[in-house]
Amino acid sequence: MSFKHPFYFLRHGQTDWNKAKITQGQTDSQLDETGRAQAVRAGEILANEPIARIVSSPLTRVRHTAEAVAAKHDVEITFDDGLKECHLGDMQGQPHGSWLADYWTGNFDPPNGETFGQFSDRVWRAMQRAVELGPNTLIVAHGGLWIAAHQYTKIDPPLMPMPNALPIHVTPGNGVWNQRVLGA
């Protein structure tokens, strides 16, 4: 299944763990003060965009970011467990280290977690489900999804790593996603 419609993507706002470079994975951390302000700003940036629906990871940091956008639109938020960040097993709650870069290249499988391949397959299918609902879907999720998407398509221009709460508009093409940063 290919992506047939343009869509929006938004990573959650900053958390204390992002700032401290602690691995979150599927740990349900909260937005910090900066992250809450980032979420509100993202909502303001997206206020004039034709958002038709919001599909979000259910983790709290993402849900609160999605709620800030939904406050500017007359749309409900749908939650999809498939959009959760990678499950990093025993590495969740640990400081970032060289193992994390190895995970993103498929060269490290976290004990009691999911492999990068499993994660990539899961989130790619979840993103496809969300976009298949129609044009102008906003996916609110995690930075890892953007890394996983690179396994399936070229993204032009590249945007790695995905900054917190930076709204982007994506126009899928034949094997390429053209992305445009909003409000930069």
Side-chain angles (χ1 to χ4, degrees):
M1 179 191 315
S2 64
F3 287 71
K4 297 177 183 173
H5 305 292
F7 66 97
Y8 297 87
F9 185 88
L10 178 65
R11 180 185 178 201
H12 63 81
Q14 178 180 285
T15 68
D16 286 333
W17 285 28
N18 288 137
K19 189 174 180 179
K21 299 196 182 312
I22 302 294
T23 305
Q24 295 174 103
Q26 291 188 6
T27 304
D28 203 12
S29 55
Q30 305 282 325
L31 297 177
D32 62 15
E33 184 177 329
T34 298
R36 287 188 295 276
Q38 289 172 331
V40 168
R41 171 131 169 77
E44 291 168 354
I45 292 168
L46 290 166
N48 294 319
E49 296 294 324
I51 305 295
R53 70 201 53 79
I54 299 173
V55 183
S56 174
S57 162
L59 295 177
T60 303
R61 62 190 181 268
V62 182
R63 182 171 42 84
H64 288 167
T65 303
E67 289 169 351
V69 176
K72 301 287 185 178
H73 292 274
D74 187 23
V75 296
E76 291 186 24
I77 303 168
T78 302
F79 298 99
D80 185 335
D81 283 345
L83 294 175
K84 285 183 179 179
E85 183 64 280
C86 48
H87 191 294
L88 293 171
D90 296 348
M91 303 311 287
Q92 294 181 159
Q94 299 300 313
H96 290 186
S98 60
W99 66 268
L100 188 55
D102 288 341
Y103 178 79
W104 297 127
T105 59
N107 293 315
F108 174 75
D109 297 338
N112 300 309
E114 65 186 332
T115 68
F116 180 63
Q118 291 167 331
F119 166 66
S120 296
D121 290 345
R122 171 175 58 82
V123 300
W124 186 253
R125 286 191 311 272
M127 291 174 70
Q128 286 176 323
R129 281 192 304 273
V131 173
E132 190 63 25
L133 295 171
N136 299 318
T137 296
L138 169 62
I139 297 172
V140 187
H142 307 270
L145 275 76
W146 206 244
I147 296 170
H150 283 83
Q151 302 304 302
Y152 298 91
T153 190
K154 179 182 177 188
I155 300 175
D156 187 42
L159 182 62
M160 293 281 283
M162 172 61 72
N164 289 99
L166 181 69
I168 62 170
H169 183 261
V170 179
T171 304
N174 190 16
V176 177
W177 284 359
N178 292 300
Q179 63 89 14
R180 177 175 51 92
V181 174
L182 304 173

